[in-house]
Amino acid sequence: YNNSAVLGGNIYLESSTLIATRKTTSTEKHFEVRNGRAHEFGGGLACVGSTVEMNDVLVVDNKAILDGGGIYGVLCLFKAQSTSITRNNAGGNGGGLFFQSISNIALEKVDVSQNNAGGNGGGLSAVRARLFFMSTSTVSLNNADEGGGLHLDNTLSEPILQDLDIR
């Protein structure tokens, strides 16, 4: 952590796959994306035409000048389970997460909290997502101009939201 770049402060993926999963019985998160800085998009991670699978991951204290403080995705297949996305900041949209251009997003048992965006979607912003599924998750204490918790714009299929705690 503590890395910086124009795109993907800590991690930049293009036409690639990242699988971060728990391999031990430890109570700590298996994989952390922390303190990344992006001069444009994806403070912690930028996913461009790639696949990301996260299980028991902590995405925390990342910052992007434009969109996607924690995670930025375009044409991204993104799946997260038992993951925390917290205390990330974006000057534009998607303080915690930002996805656009027919990305597929599936989130289960995810905590999206204490993220901030100067534009839309303090917790998460998705624009023209092909698929948006979120289940058994918490979205809390996020801040933005529009959609403090979630901002879904022009999704290409009906978003599926199940058993969410949004406060």
Side-chain angles (χ1 to χ4, degrees), residues 14-25:
E14 186 171 350
S15 302
S16 299
T17 299
L18 170 67
I19 299 175
T21 62
R22 179 185 294 273
K23 290 187 178 183
T24 68
T25 58

Side-chain angles (χ1 to χ4, degrees), residues 28-97:
E28 294 182 20
K29 296 294 183 188
H30 169 71
F31 189 86
E32 291 186 8
V33 180
R34 178 186 295 270
N35 294 330
R37 301 289 178 260
H39 302 291
E40 291 185 7
F41 304 105
L45 180 146
C47 171
V48 179
S50 296
T51 299
V52 175
E53 291 185 19
M54 294 183 165
N55 188 359
D56 285 320
V57 173
L58 176 63
V59 180
V60 64
D61 295 329
N62 299 287
K63 183 176 182 178
I65 300 299
L66 297 178
D67 300 330
I71 296 171
Y72 171 85
V74 58
L75 298 170
C76 181
L77 302 176
F78 184 84
K79 179 181 177 184
Q81 184 175 13
S82 302
T83 291
S84 295
I85 299 161
T86 187
R87 297 193 323 250
N88 300 287
N89 290 284
N93 302 311
L97 306 103

